């Protein structure tokens, strides 16, 4: 089964409900070329390709059993008009860093984060050796890389086994780096499984570190919940269901799962009653919103921020009686998000113009030198 063999509908998402072109890329591919890279690495059959397909292509976890083993680098462009813009490079498990054809500078030079996947249900001694080699090689090329370790396939095992595996892997990996003289390297560990929301939560943490505007987004969310009487708020990318920002209160896994399920419900209903009769109408637009009242006096409230972003809030029922205030604050929040997004685009465009100007100046210098050389040859 190849990466191109997509079903017409995967899960609750239709095939055409995915990442589109970035709205401002009509001027060229500069923005696309400069996007940060996330590298997926690990031993064979550790679950790298399954993670990518489940999180970003809405494949059912059971379908990943039929994925063939990756035998070459597979590049996946995650690109929309929100803050989620990066490339994922899925590496085969048998990659050899000492192969002369392996270009470490090119691979790790533009890398924003390196995700190393370890199968927790297998003997991970070999995986830890490969992790040490990978981090050592990458850190020498690019010390700014964020190193993330997914202790994967922890579904169906006891909590004691999870904690013991994480403790053992953390201890061994850290000791190996200290022995290699890499005291400044920090590894982040996540317990993950494609059969629950842990993989989405882990990838959310990875993607957030690649967003320069994260602090501004978190401050906006803190102001929003403080002035609206909201318990918790997530800014979601609706395609992948990863949250690109949340407020300062701790993230409760059960609350996160409820918000993810709510997004599924909204998209399901929008696809059924919105886009089937009129394919030109997107399934998620500026009219998309939802209110779900729980049996524990809690309200889930979803509002569309832009084509691919949604704000999902958890509110006490008594606080939701002031819905007018919440809606007004949301409009202010959405306007602020738009301004942050516009500033980001202007900054990217300015960087592209400056780079083009440098290239043009180099070209002019080359032209002047070429003309002078030609004139000297003519005089001679």
């Amino acid at each position: 089964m190849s990466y191109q063999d997509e079903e017409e509908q995967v899960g609750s998402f239709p095939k055409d409900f995915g990442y589109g072109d970035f709205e401002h890329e009509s001027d060229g591919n500069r923005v696309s070329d400069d996007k940060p890279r996330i590298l997926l690495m690990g031993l064979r059959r550790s679950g790298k390709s399954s993670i990518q397909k489940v999180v970003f292509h809405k494949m059912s976890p059971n379908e990943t059993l039929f994925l063939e083993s990756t035998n070459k680098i597979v590049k996946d462009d995650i690109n929309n008009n929100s803050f989620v813009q990066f490339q994922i490079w899925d590496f085969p498990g048998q990659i050899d860093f000492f192969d002369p054809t392996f270009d470490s500078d090119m691979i790790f030079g533009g890398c924003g984060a390196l995700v190393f996947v370890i199968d927790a249900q297998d003997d991970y001694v070999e995986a830890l050796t490969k992790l040490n080699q990978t981090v050592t090689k990458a850190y020498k090329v690019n010390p700014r890389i964020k190193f993330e370790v997914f202790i994967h396939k922890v579904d169906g095992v006891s909590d004691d086994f999870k904690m013991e595996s994480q403790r053992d892997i953390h201890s061994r990996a850290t000791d190996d780096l200290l022995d290699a003289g890499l005291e400044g390297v920090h590894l982040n560990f996540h317990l993950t499984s494609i059969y629950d929301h842990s993989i989405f939560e882990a990838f959310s943490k990875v993607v957030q570190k690649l967003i320069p505007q994260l602090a501004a987004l978190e401050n906006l969310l803190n102001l929003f919940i403080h002035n609206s009487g909201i318990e918790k708020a997530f800014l979601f990318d609706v395609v992948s269901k990863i949250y690109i920002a949340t407020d300062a209160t701790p993230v409760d896994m059960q609350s996160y799962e409820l918000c993810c399920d709510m997004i599924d419900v909204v998209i399901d209903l929008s696809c059924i009653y919105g886009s089937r009769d009129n394919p030109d109408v997107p399934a998620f637009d500026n009219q998309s919103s939802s209110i779900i009242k729980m049996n524990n006096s809690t309200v889930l409230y979803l509002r569309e921020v832009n084509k691919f972003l949604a704000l999902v809030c958890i509110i006490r029922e008594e606080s939701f009686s002031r819905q007018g205030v919440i809606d007004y604050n949301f409009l202010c929040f959405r306007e602020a998000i738009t301004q942050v997004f516009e500033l980001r685009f202007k900054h990217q465009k300015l960087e592209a113009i400056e780079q083009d100007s440098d290239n043009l100046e180099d070209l002019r210098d080359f032209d002047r030198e070429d003309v002078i050389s030609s004139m000297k040859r003519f005089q001679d």
Side-chain angles (χ1 to χ4, degrees):
M1 179 177 180
S2 68
Y3 270 47
Q4 287 73 32
D5 294 336
E6 298 280 355
E7 297 292 335
E8 192 62 33
Q9 181 168 329
V10 181
S12 61
F13 285 73
K15 183 179 178 182
D16 57 354
F17 191 81
Y19 295 104
D21 293 331
F22 183 44
E23 283 182 346
H24 300 295
E25 282 191 348
S26 56
D27 296 336
N29 294 323
R30 179 81 62 191
V31 175
S32 178
D33 294 340
D34 291 343
K35 286 184 298 184
R37 244 182 268 143
I38 296 177
L39 308 184
L40 269 178
M41 293 186 167
L43 297 182
R44 291 171 60 91
R45 313 305 302 178
S46 59
K48 304 182 297 297
S49 301
S50 300
I51 291 173
Q52 181 186 8
K53 299 296 280 184
V54 168
V55 175
F56 296 104
H57 295 278
K58 317 320 300 177
M59 177 177 280
S60 167
N62 293 326
E63 291 182 77
T64 62
L65 298 173
F66 306 102
L67 285 176
E68 294 180 357
S69 182
T70 305
N71 54 19
K72 64 178 181 179
I73 299 176
V74 178
K75 302 177 183 179
D76 193 9
D77 198 47
I78 307 301
N79 187 33
N80 62 25
N81 66 343
S82 74
F83 295 91
V84 183
Q85 295 178 50
F86 53 88
Q87 289 182 330
I88 293 182
W89 289 18
D90 183 8
F91 282 76
Q94 67 273 18
I95 191 167
D96 183 8
F97 294 116
F98 301 101
D99 191 319
T101 61
F102 184 82
D103 190 348
S104 300
D105 293 337
M106 189 276 291
I107 297 295
F108 299 122
C111 174
L114 192 155
V115 177
F116 194 92
V117 183
I118 296 178
D119 185 348
Q121 298 187 18
D122 197 3
D123 183 10
Y124 43 76
V125 174
E126 184 182 355
L128 288 171
T129 303
K130 190 63 175 276
L131 170 64
N132 184 263
Q133 294 176 349
T134 305
V135 173
T136 302
K137 196 81 171 179
Y139 186 76
K140 289 180 180 178
V141 176
N142 184 1
R144 295 170 298 182
I145 294 178
K146 310 295 183 183
F147 294 103
E148 312 288 334
V149 180
F150 284 7
I151 303 172
H152 197 48
K153 300 182 183 179
V154 295
D155 49 276
V157 299
S158 65
D159 291 339
D160 291 340
F161 179 84
K162 293 179 185 179
M163 294 300 106
E164 182 60 33
S165 297
Q166 183 173 7
R167 197 161 35 241
D168 188 34
I169 291 174
H170 182 281
S171 176
R172 293 191 187 189
T174 304
D175 290 344
D176 289 345
L177 290 177
L178 290 176
D179 293 341
L182 300 177
E183 295 88 353
V185 178
H186 178 67
L187 302 179
N188 301 291
F189 295 86
H190 311 268
L191 293 168
T192 60
S193 169
I194 59 174
Y195 291 96
D196 57 33
H197 289 82
S198 60
I199 189 62
F200 296 95
E201 207 263 346
F203 239 106
S204 298
K205 299 290 182 62
V206 175
V207 171
Q208 287 170 22
K209 295 175 183 177
L210 304 181
I211 301 175
Q213 299 82 7
L214 179 62
L217 297 177
E218 289 178 344
N219 287 335
L220 287 174
L221 285 167
N222 288 332
L223 288 171
F224 174 67
I225 68 166
H226 176 72
N227 292 288
S228 305
I230 293 174
E231 298 286 317
K232 187 69 182 172
F234 294 93
L235 188 61
F236 271 96
D237 174 69
V238 295
V239 179
S240 63
K241 290 189 297 186
I242 61 177
Y243 65 95
I244 66 172
T246 186
D247 58 85
T249 60
V251 176
D252 175 52
M253 197 62 182
Q254 186 176 7
S255 300
Y256 173 66
E257 291 176 2
L258 280 173
C259 294
C260 289
D261 292 341
M262 184 182 193
I263 292 175
D264 282 338
V265 170
V266 171
I267 298 301
D268 279 343
L269 293 175
S270 297
C271 291
I272 293 171
Y273 297 106
S275 60
R276 293 299 184 189
D277 297 333
N278 187 357
D280 296 329
V281 177
F284 190 79
D285 57 24
N286 57 6
Q287 300 298 316
S288 296
S289 66
S290 179
I291 301 171
I292 298 178
K293 293 186 177 181
M294 313 295 291
N295 58 5
N296 60 351
S297 301
T298 301
V299 175
L300 298 180
Y301 189 36
L302 180 146
R303 290 292 299 269
E304 184 260 8
V305 176
N306 66 27
K307 186 179 179 182
F308 288 99
L309 285 180
L311 181 70
V312 184
C313 307
I314 301 174
I315 313 170
R316 288 290 176 187
E317 196 167 350
E318 56 269 21
S319 300
F320 195 68
S321 60
R322 301 164 57 238
Q323 185 181 350
V325 174
I326 296 174
D327 288 341
Y328 175 78
N329 289 338
F330 168 75
L331 294 177
C332 297
F333 171 80
R334 182 163 63 180
E335 183 179 354
I337 288 286
T338 303
Q339 292 174 0
V340 172
F341 178 63
E342 289 175 350
L343 285 173
R344 175 185 181 175
F345 167 62
K346 289 178 181 178
H347 179 69
Q348 289 175 327
K349 196 168 185 179
L350 182 61
E351 286 184 338
I353 291 173
E354 289 176 350
Q355 187 170 348
D356 287 338
S357 300
D358 293 340
N359 293 338
L360 182 60
E361 191 62 34
D362 292 342
L363 183 60
R364 286 173 179 167
D365 291 340
F366 173 78
D367 289 341
R368 284 195 292 268
E369 293 173 1
D370 192 39
V371 170
I372 293 172
S373 177
S374 299
M375 290 178 64
K376 285 183 178 180
R377 287 199 302 269
F378 177 75
Q379 289 173 352
D380 293 340

